[in-house]
Amino acid sequence: MRSTKETTREKNPSPGALSEKSRESVGKLLTRPNKPRSRGTKNNDNNIQQYDLSSEVGNGSKVNGIQDVDSRVKSVTLEAGGCSTDAARDTLREEKVDGGTLQDPLSDSREEMNDSDWEDGSIPNSDFTGNQQVTIEFDETPDPVKRKPVHQATAEDKELAEIVHKVHLLCLLGRGRLIDRACDDPLTQAALLSLLPRHLLNISQMTKLTAKNLHPLIHWFQDNFHVRSSTDEKRSIHSNLAFALETHEGTSEEIAALSVALFRALGLITRFVSILDVASLKPDGDKSAYFSQDAGGFIFCTSTPMVAKKNEASSSPSKSFSPNEKDSACETSHRSSCKRSNAESKDSASANESSNKQPCPLVFELKHDSSGACHTQISQGPKRKGDIEFSLQMEMAISATAAVIANIADGKMGSSMGNPNSNLPNFISPFKRMKKVLSEGSSSSHGISTAIGSRRVGSPLYWAEVYCSGENLTGKWVHVDAVNAIIDEEEKVEALAAACKRSLRYVVAFAGNGAKDVTRRYCMKWYKIASKRVNSIWWDSVLAPLKEIESRATNGMFHLENDNIDASFKHDNPKHIAENLKAENFPNNATLLGSSGLEVSKVCGVKTDMGSSLTAASRSSLEDMELETRALTEPLPTNQQAYRTHQLYAIEKWLNKYQILHPRGPILGFCAGHAVYPRTCVQTLKTKERWLREGLQVKASELPVKELKRSGKLQKLKSFEDDESVGDNSEGTLKLYGKWQLEPLQLPHAVNGIVPKNERGQVDVWSEKCLPPGTAHLRLPRVFSVAKRLEIDYAPAMVGFEYKNGQSYPVFEGIVVCAEFKDVILEAYREEQERREAEEKKRNEMQAISRWYQLLSSIVTQQRLKNRYGKGVLSHTSSDEPTVDNNLSLKVSGSQDDKQSLEFRKGNKHKNKPNPPSRSPSAELEEDHKHLFLTEDQSFDDETLILTKRCHCGFSVQVEEL
DNA sequence: TTGAGTGATAATTCTTTGCGTAAA
DNA sequence: GTTTACGCTTTGAATTATCACTCA
């Protein structure tokens, strides 16, 4: 609480007022607003809050500490609410008297206390006693418009959000692939074909398919299949598709999938396309969309779904986790009312049924009655501002769309004659309908955009892409939204999604179990979504294998002539199955498609390979080119802010201080009077020193293109240095140069084995380019000692800086020497290293021997003690010892020094004689036994020069002969 | 409704060239 | 006595990014 002034004032000081706990609690309470960092705190709270801690409260500490705190919390709340101090005190008194009334607030407060982290607080006045009044005065006057407390996301929040985003993306990718695979189901395809009227089967015979040819098919499909909210039953995708096929109703996802299956059954090269409506990349990024109503404390009861429940309320792919989610506007409303009341939830079932036939909120006009039923549902229960607003807007939208329908019926909307759909008098795409509705009037348009948009429903989420070889010269992927009966209107998808407040961040096309990002095709304003997408390197790496599969699959999906059809394939093809199902003759000369391109290739074998791969490469690369072209020819944004981080364009206004336009042109256009330049004209400037690090130096004749004023701190430092030295204070500016003013770094050569050094006697090795010619950088520890020993000139290599204690210290790594000495030094270093290692090894061995000796000595001592003092015990336990007693073999090896030291410890002064057996374990076992090392029992190893002496008791000693 | 402008805050960038002490 | 390795102690100003809010 930076902008607040805390004062504590004594009031009625009486002994034994507040307990220690109370004091702490008040301190905590005072410090608590600091806990969540909030912006605009100064406007957040009331101007003056008084904490009146009455004697009753003080006495209350006898009950328990928590009650005290709770009471004070309540007191604060009351004060904040404008109640008088006395009133608050009265309330507190009542609470104290009536234990029952205290219970509820208590439990709430207690929960709150448990959930929050309390900080230790301190009360400035050390004489703080119970009957005191704590007054917090805020400097600022109360703001009539309260600023919302804003919690700025921390780095941790952002990281978490990114992880969630990525995981969600992967899940949705998986979901898309599942749906795509389900679309290849021969049985589903066959069933769809069996339903198709004969005249529509001709489409499969067209060699040059165009988007126009698809209209009758889409029309038939839309007439026969409707979107509805799914049941709560959780079934597999295949079962859901089968059910949708049977009932001719399904979720938008299922209907879109069926359309894809139908197209594939007809032999059309088709992809299943989905908007991956993932959780936001930024923390609370979806808040604006989901927390549209400022519900305050009722935020968890709001009818607007929250992020975590996102998939419940929208028809987004996120519902993929539970495919049976409901996705119509009415359903959403119903669901929201369900949240408010369980009873309502049961009642609304019927309303849900009635609203089941809502294909899309954009075609509400067709289902006016059911919408009304839905609205009735909404109107029930405790209404809040958002619900009422939604209801009103829905009503307006419905009435407006009904008017449009009436107009259509009356033939007033004859404009459809001029559009590509003119051959379909009854066909009006929902987008057009919406456009018409929007043009009807401000009220109705507002109703549509806000009511539907705020609920994020009606957005196109799934559609198909059909490859039309007759489009353009090279063929084209045509957008076909069978759910909303929209064909070849890819440029409108973004607007349609935006109208439903759904951002078009990822659009992915699935085919043959692969996937390809086709967002560029549908997104006209890339700059708006670029920052909302995950790191492109990660995304590309995820998609790379899928893209390859998809490419192979769609390239494999080509028309097969009759004579190519293998008999075995014929058995599997959906048409064949359809023949059985339909009992009608299917045109034999129609083209076919297998369950996937890959499978077709497999089945059809060699015949298809050559031609398809050629087509494939070109088709895939052509599409890549198309998407790339779109990326490079994005229209100029109309708002200035977009140019700050735009990948293609820039305006001078938004360049940072280290950037400049060079060359200044060409001017691509203007935005609010500012010239727009290509981003490629933006050059980064650096100081001479910085360029030096990259192995570049400024040309002799070049002047700085920009001069920046040095920062205050640096300037102060600089001026201090200048005063001490030369007194030249000309370095008040930072001189910046562009890349075009540079040339490769030319450092002085190493001459006569002397390394050219800087003024500090070292070489700054930012990179290999910074090394003076004729020198080499040896990044080895302690290599300088070698160079020093060999008396070779060298310079410490400074490779960077590290920060410690607020200061920067240079980091050195190895040395820089003349190249001709490199090998000599390395050789010497290697020898030095070997010597060092040998010493290390020797030291380790010595240590090991010493420890072994200590161990054996301790065992021997233990054994001797046992023999002497615990014979009874020994007789019982001696069987445990034989491995130690009889098999011990002390090997003495190593250098003479080692041996000497060992022997010294053993107390043996005779180097060439074996150890006296008195300390050996077996000797200790048999007190009277003396080891006898007979010559015939000795063995000598010529290689190791070790003589092994053995006693008949089993004891042996190895001795190195000198 | 959209976008420019502004203010507040968090995050990031930039700065830049030991010293004392203990162990070897 | 000399050399070498290691830890000290958590900078701070400037800039940029982001967000919320107001206003046109």
Side-chain angles (χ1 to χ4, degrees):
Chain A
M1 207 176 292
R2 290 177 293 100
S3 59
T4 61
K5 185 173 65 186
E6 296 180 9
T7 61
T8 52
R9 200 166 59 226
E10 275 202 3
K11 186 185 177 183
N12 302 328
S14 63
L18 269 187
S19 66
E20 191 70 25
K21 194 173 278 185
S22 303
R23 216 176 305 150
E24 284 174 14
S25 302
V26 172
K28 286 170 184 174
L29 196 63
L30 294 179
T31 55
R32 202 178 167 197
N34 269 337
K35 189 67 184 172
R37 292 200 59 144
S38 62
R39 215 182 285 165
T41 37
K42 59 185 175 186
N43 299 324
N44 238 358
D45 304 306
N46 287 6
N47 198 28
I48 296 176
Q49 290 184 347
Q50 289 189 322
Y51 295 77
D52 184 9
L53 307 167
S54 64
S55 59
E56 288 88 345
V57 176
N59 295 335
S61 63
K62 291 170 190 170
V63 181
N64 67 44
I66 297 172
Q67 280 190 357
D68 287 348
V69 177
D70 294 333
S71 305
R72 283 187 297 282
V73 170
K74 184 140 191 174
S75 165
V76 172
T77 315
L78 287 168
E79 290 295 326
C83 296
S84 70
T85 311
D86 293 337
R89 198 181 300 135
D90 291 344
T91 315
L92 284 169
R93 198 175 293 130
E94 282 169 21
E95 284 176 354
K96 281 290 148 192
V97 171
D98 184 3
T101 54
L102 201 58
Q103 286 307 311
D104 286 341
L106 256 180
S107 57
D108 290 341
S109 300
R110 207 173 284 141
E111 259 179 40
E112 194 183 2
M113 284 176 66
N114 290 337
D115 291 341
S116 58
D117 296 321
W118 285 85
E119 288 181 348
D120 289 337
S122 61
I123 304 300
N125 190 348
S126 60
D127 296 332
F128 190 89
T129 51
N131 289 336
Q132 287 174 330
Q133 191 181 53
V134 181
T135 307
I136 299 175
E137 292 179 8
F138 293 81
D139 290 343
E140 282 74 18
T141 53
D143 196 342
V145 184
K146 278 191 174 179
R147 271 177 95 95
K148 252 198 302 185
V150 179
H151 171 67
Q152 190 125 7
T154 61
E156 201 180 342
D157 294 337
K158 287 178 181 173
E159 195 185 348
L160 185 67
E162 189 182 335
I163 291 168
V164 170
H165 183 86
K166 285 179 175 175
V167 171
H168 199 177
L169 260 181
L170 296 176
C171 291
L172 294 181
L173 268 182
R175 172 73 181 180
R177 296 176 74 192
L178 276 178
I179 302 286
D180 172 56
R181 211 176 304 162
C183 294
D184 285 337
D185 181 32
L187 204 63
T188 308
Q189 291 184 3
L192 280 163
L193 280 183
S194 69
L195 294 170
L196 201 64
R198 179 175 287 187
H199 69 277
L200 289 176
L201 291 169
N202 296 332
I203 199 166
S204 55
Q205 300 171 9
M206 294 177 183
T207 50
K208 289 284 179 188
L209 185 72
T210 63
K212 205 174 175 180
N213 302 138
L214 295 170
H215 281 296
L217 186 63
I218 299 303
H219 188 207
W220 172 84
F221 188 84
Q222 208 208 6
D223 282 348
N224 285 275
F225 292 92
H226 305 289
V227 173
R228 63 151 171 78
S229 50
S230 67
T231 61
D232 285 335
E233 289 176 54
K234 289 185 178 175
R235 290 178 299 216
S236 71
I237 293 165
H238 282 278
S239 307
N240 280 338
L241 275 188
F243 187 72
L245 190 59
E246 191 184 332
T247 59
H248 288 223
E249 285 179 345
T251 62
S252 56
E253 185 184 43
E254 290 158 12
I255 297 299
L258 285 180
S259 71
V260 171
L262 175 64
F263 298 145
R264 287 182 181 173
L266 285 167
L268 309 180
I269 303 166
T270 311
R271 290 162 162 174
F272 174 73
V273 185
S274 170
I275 292 180
L276 306 189
D277 194 22
V278 288
S280 174
L281 186 59
K282 285 162 190 165
D284 306 331
D286 289 338
K287 259 188 179 173
S288 57
Y290 291 101
F291 296 89
S292 56
Q293 299 163 29
D294 188 9
F298 299 101
I299 196 155
F300 295 106
C301 306
T302 179
S303 59
T304 311
M306 297 184 302
V307 178
K309 306 246 177 186
K310 182 173 167 181
N311 49 358
E312 289 186 1
S314 71
S315 56
S316 76
S318 54
K319 75 186 164 80
S320 56
F321 298 117
S322 56
N324 299 320
E325 297 297 341
K326 306 174 179 185
D327 58 350
S328 75
C330 291
E331 192 276 334
T332 308
S333 311
H334 158 64
R335 188 169 284 264
S336 64
S337 48
C338 285
K339 282 180 184 171
R340 288 195 299 270
S341 159
N342 287 336
E344 280 178 30
S345 151
K346 289 170 189 169
D347 296 342
S348 60
S350 56
N352 217 6
E353 283 298 313
S354 62
S355 64
N356 273 350
K357 297 198 174 183
Q358 296 284 344
C360 165
L362 298 177
V363 288
F364 265 123
E365 65 272 21
L366 300 173
K367 310 285 178 189
H368 192 181
D369 293 341
S370 58
S371 299
C374 227
H375 169 63
T376 314
Q377 278 298 323
I378 294 162
S379 66
Q380 291 173 0
K383 281 194 173 184
R384 284 171 292 111
K385 191 185 165 190
D387 289 333
I388 297 166
E389 191 183 328
F390 177 72
S391 310
L392 290 171
Q393 288 169 350
M394 183 64 76
E395 206 169 6
M396 284 191 290
I398 290 162
S399 60
T401 47
V404 176
I405 288 296
N407 286 342
I408 295 167
D410 294 345
K412 287 178 186 174
M413 296 264 183
S415 59
S416 63
M417 296 300 288
N419 67 24
N421 306 330
S422 54
N423 55 338
L424 302 167
N426 294 329
F427 174 80
I428 297 172
S429 76
F431 179 79
K432 288 183 179 126
R433 285 178 212 155
M434 191 181 78
K435 216 161 63 174
K436 284 166 190 169
V437 172
L438 290 174
S439 65
E440 276 299 298
S442 61
S443 62
S444 58
S445 68
H446 177 75
I448 283 282
S449 60
T450 314
I452 293 171
S454 66
R455 299 292 165 143
R456 288 164 63 89
V457 288
S459 170
L461 278 172
Y462 315 99
W463 61 88
E465 271 186 357
V466 178
Y467 189 78
C468 292
S469 51
E471 291 284 338
N472 300 336
L473 286 173
T474 54
K476 177 190 166 190
W477 285 101
V478 172
H479 153 248
V480 181
D481 184 352
V483 175
N484 297 313
I486 305 171
I487 299 176
D488 199 15
E489 294 191 6
E490 62 205 29
E491 70 281 356
K492 292 174 182 170
V493 172
E494 188 178 34
L496 201 57
C500 297
K501 294 198 174 174
R502 196 179 291 279
S503 100
L504 208 72
R505 289 167 294 176
Y506 303 92
V507 182
V508 178
F510 298 90
N513 215 20
K516 185 175 187 176
D517 188 334
V518 292
T519 315
R520 283 282 187 186
R521 177 172 292 128
Y522 298 94
C523 178
M524 306 297 139
K525 292 178 180 174
W526 185 263
Y527 68 88
K528 281 194 172 176
I529 63 156
S531 63
K532 295 175 185 172
R533 282 166 63 99
V534 75
N535 177 302
S536 62
I537 296 169
W538 180 85
W539 180 233
D540 289 345
S541 66
V542 165
L543 277 186
L546 295 175
K547 191 180 168 186
E548 201 174 316
I549 296 169
E550 192 276 340
S551 174
R552 281 206 305 265
T554 50
N555 290 327
M557 291 179 188
F558 56 93
H559 291 259
L560 299 170
E561 297 304 326
N562 256 354
D563 54 356
N564 282 350
I565 301 171
D566 191 281
S568 59
F569 173 66
K570 212 169 184 178
H571 284 296
D572 284 342
N573 82 65
K575 204 185 295 171
H576 187 75
I577 302 169
E579 279 172 5
N580 295 333
L581 287 170
K582 202 176 177 183
E584 280 187 21
N585 286 330
F586 190 80
N588 281 330
N589 55 351
T591 54
L592 294 176
L593 180 78
S595 56
S596 76
L598 286 173
E599 287 173 27
V600 173
S601 304
K602 209 189 298 169
V603 172
C604 296
V606 185
K607 274 190 176 180
T608 63
D609 284 342
M610 288 296 290
S612 70
S613 62
L614 284 174
T615 331
S618 59
R619 188 183 298 156
S620 178
S621 54
L622 274 175
E623 188 189 23
D624 288 342
M625 275 171 63
E626 180 208 333
L627 298 177
E628 194 63 31
T629 308
R630 279 176 185 269
L632 296 172
T633 55
E634 199 178 316
L636 298 181
T638 52
N639 66 321
Q640 290 184 42
Q641 298 283 334
Y643 289 94
R644 293 183 71 165
T645 53
H646 203 288
Q647 291 180 327
L648 299 175
Y649 312 118
I651 57 179
E652 199 166 9
K653 182 182 175 180
W654 293 112
L655 299 183
N656 67 27
K657 68 174 189 176
Y658 289 105
Q659 289 179 327
I660 198 172
L661 285 168
H662 181 85
R664 296 181 68 86
I667 295 172
L668 304 174
F670 289 90
C671 176
H674 301 282
V676 177
Y677 299 91
R679 179 59 68 176
T680 49
C681 294
V682 177
Q683 301 279 347
T684 304
L685 305 176
K686 289 179 184 175
T687 58
K688 271 182 185 176
E689 294 75 25
R690 284 272 163 186
W691 283 124
L692 216 62
R693 294 184 185 187
E694 295 180 21
L696 297 165
Q697 67 179 25
V698 178
K699 289 175 192 167
S701 57
E702 294 290 345
L703 296 171
V705 285
K706 207 171 182 178
E707 290 194 23
L708 296 175
K709 218 177 160 185
R710 277 183 183 271
S711 66
K713 180 183 161 191
L714 288 175
Q715 214 165 357
K716 207 182 286 176
L717 267 175
K718 192 77 191 172
S719 62
F720 179 73
E721 282 171 13
D722 291 341
D723 287 345
E724 277 193 339
S725 53
V726 199
D728 176 21
N729 203 13
S730 62
E731 292 295 319
T733 56
L734 209 61
K735 288 171 180 163
L736 302 175
Y737 299 86
K739 207 162 191 173
W740 67 95
Q741 298 178 294
L742 308 172
E743 61 185 4
L745 185 60
Q746 290 164 357
L747 292 168
H749 277 260
V751 183
N752 298 329
I754 305 297
V755 177
K757 307 173 188 74
N758 64 14
E759 63 274 18
R760 294 185 175 84
Q762 63 200 36
V763 176
D764 295 349
V765 191
W766 299 103
S767 69
E768 288 296 312
K769 293 174 188 171
C770 300
L771 276 178
T775 63
H777 182 200
L778 305 177
R779 282 177 183 258
L780 298 166
R782 295 180 298 274
V783 70
F784 66 90
S785 59
V786 177
K788 194 186 273 183
R789 186 161 51 84
L790 297 173
E791 294 181 344
I792 292 172
D793 184 59
Y794 72 92
M798 203 274 288
V799 295
F801 289 94
E802 67 175 350
Y803 272 86
K804 283 178 181 174
N805 309 333
Q807 288 182 314
S808 58
Y809 304 118
V811 175
F812 295 94
E813 257 189 43
I815 57 171
V816 175
V817 293
C818 289
E820 60 263 32
F821 298 125
K822 183 182 171 184
D823 293 336
V824 179
I825 292 175
L826 285 178
E827 180 65 25
Y829 183 82
R830 195 176 54 79
E831 284 170 7
E832 176 80 16
Q833 195 70 7
E834 280 172 4
R835 191 186 59 78
R836 203 183 288 269
E837 281 170 8
E839 275 180 12
E840 178 75 16
K841 192 180 171 188
K842 199 195 303 176
R843 197 162 43 242
N844 288 340
E845 281 175 359
M846 276 300 298
Q847 212 168 20
I849 289 167
S850 165
R851 284 174 181 166
W852 268 113
Y853 182 76
Q854 283 174 12
L855 175 68
L856 293 173
S857 299
S858 65
I859 291 170
V860 167
T861 308
Q862 188 187 26
Q863 202 61 51
R864 193 175 65 236
L865 292 171
K866 275 184 183 174
N867 287 342
R868 186 165 296 171
Y869 303 108
K871 279 190 175 173
V873 180
L874 179 68
S875 62
H876 184 66
T877 57
S878 60
S879 60
D880 298 335
E881 307 293 343
T883 50
V884 179
D885 295 339
N886 297 324
N887 300 327
L888 273 177
S889 166
L890 181 61
K891 178 179 180 180
V892 183
S893 61
S895 66
Q896 192 175 355
D897 292 343
D898 303 341
K899 202 169 136 191
Q900 277 176 343
S901 67
L902 185 61
E903 285 172 348
F904 175 73
R905 286 177 201 168
K906 285 149 88 179
N908 184 7
K909 307 281 183 189
H910 311 284
K911 289 176 187 174
N912 291 337
K913 287 184 180 176
N915 298 329
S918 59
R919 292 283 178 262
S920 74
S922 48
E924 296 301 327
L925 272 177
E926 299 169 37
E927 195 78 22
D928 300 332
H929 174 73
K930 287 191 176 179
H931 292 300
L932 187 63
F933 300 105
L934 300 173
T935 317
E936 58 265 30
D937 293 334
Q938 291 180 0
S939 63
F940 182 73
D941 190 340
D942 291 332
E943 285 184 9
T944 57
L945 299 176
I946 288 175
L947 179 70
T948 306
K949 298 181 176 182
R950 294 186 183 83
C951 174
H952 67 88
C953 70
F955 181 76
S956 68
V957 172
Q958 289 183 330
V959 180
E960 188 178 357
E961 293 291 338
L962 296 177

